[in-house]
Amino acid sequence: MNTKPKKSLPAGPSGRWRPTLKLIRQPRQAFEEWSQRYGDPFHVQALNGPVVVTGRPDLVRQIFSHDSTEYSVFAAQSLTPILGSGSMLLLDGQRHREERKFIMPMFHGDRMRAYAQTMQNTARHAMERVASGSTFKMLSITTKISLEVIAQAVFGGENQAAIDELMQLSRKSIDATKPILFFSKMAHFHFLGLSPWDRFTRSQSQLRAAFATEFARRT
């Protein structure tokens, strides 16, 4: 029986516990440090499995154009309770191809051109609120832009108060999604409403309730 040859993995930090703990405590610093030390791409052997990380455009292009069966979903067991079993990030094989084919028309041609003005206006207004010459966190601003564009595209701009509430609750949910929840399902436990899982599920419930209220108002 023919078998696929084993492919060598790029360099990366040794061990499993130390890299995982570093990702939990300081994820951005860890990625920056490993990228500088080992180059791009680099390999991490986390507690919930190995993963190769890259930010190079040519490799990203290669990944998206390559046979999807060569890749597998990372940390599916711990991510499914967070993202949901139907998340595109957790699907593979035939089901992934079917779901991708279903949603792709929404991201082509006239559909995207219709969103262009919303994207431009939202980005412009966000940057206008940044003082000239000041230092700011690009991640925070781009996250806010993304959330507002999604809310505007889905719900329109006639109820700004509802959009502001959805953005606030979405931001709260993102902030409550701690890295430790990604790496072990054992972290998904309740404890007097104070555990990371408690804070995450509470924020998710509030966000879903706000969406349900807005959907009900429009039907």
Side-chain angles (χ1 to χ4, degrees):
M1 181 178 68
N2 292 327
T3 58
K4 295 179 181 178
K6 292 184 178 179
K7 298 178 175 63
S8 60
L9 294 172
S14 60
R16 299 177 64 189
W17 279 98
R18 290 182 63 185
T20 301
L21 290 176
K22 193 173 184 67
L23 284 171
I24 291 173
R25 294 172 178 172
Q26 299 173 309
R28 292 178 60 191
Q29 180 179 329
F31 284 129
E32 291 175 359
E33 177 184 324
W34 293 335
S35 179
Q36 293 175 1
R37 179 179 300 180
Y38 303 108
D40 186 341
F42 59 86
H43 163 245
V44 180
Q45 182 68 39
L47 284 178
N48 51 354
V51 61
V52 175
V53 181
T54 182
R56 281 171 44 185
D58 60 319
L59 294 182
V60 173
R61 190 179 303 111
Q62 179 179 331
I63 291 170
F64 279 100
S65 61
H66 200 62
D67 183 359
S68 61
T69 60
E70 293 289 328
Y71 306 101
S72 60
V73 177
F74 176 70
Q77 185 178 15
S78 55
L79 287 176
T80 297
I82 298 174
L83 301 177
S85 59
S87 171
M88 286 290 292
L89 297 176
L90 300 179
L91 299 179
D92 56 11
Q94 182 61 28
R95 189 181 175 194
H96 182 274
R97 287 190 290 271
E98 291 173 353
E99 293 292 333
R100 183 175 178 179
K101 183 178 180 180
F102 178 75
I103 68 171
M104 283 306 291
M106 294 185 287
F107 296 93
H108 282 289
D110 293 340
R111 290 288 186 93
M112 291 305 297
R113 283 190 285 272
Y115 298 144
Q117 195 62 50
T118 297
M119 295 176 182
Q120 291 176 1
N121 292 339
T122 302
R124 185 180 298 110
H125 292 159
M127 296 309 300
E128 286 174 350
R129 291 192 287 267
V130 178
S132 178
S134 64
T135 301
F136 60 90
K137 291 183 178 181
M138 195 65 186
L139 179 62
S140 298
I141 291 181
T142 53
T143 299
K144 184 176 181 180
I145 292 172
S146 298
L147 292 174
E148 187 168 348
V149 167
I150 293 170
Q152 291 280 359
V154 174
F155 295 109
E158 70 273 10
N159 190 349
Q160 189 60 44
I163 291 177
D164 290 341
E165 181 185 13
L166 289 171
M167 287 182 56
Q168 181 181 5
L169 292 174
S170 297
R171 180 74 259 184
K172 182 178 179 181
S173 183
I174 292 173
D175 292 340
T177 311
K178 302 302 181 183
I180 192 173
L181 301 177
F182 298 150
F183 289 97
S184 176
K185 201 172 180 180
M186 293 177 63
H188 300 180
F189 66 90
H190 298 284
F191 181 73
L192 303 177
L194 301 174
S195 71
W197 186 244
D198 283 322
R199 290 192 286 271
F200 171 75
T201 54
R202 186 164 52 246
S203 67
Q204 284 284 288
S205 297
Q206 293 171 346
L207 180 59
R208 289 193 181 100
F211 270 114
T213 299
E214 186 62 17
F215 283 133
R217 189 185 69 81
R218 292 168 178 267
T219 57

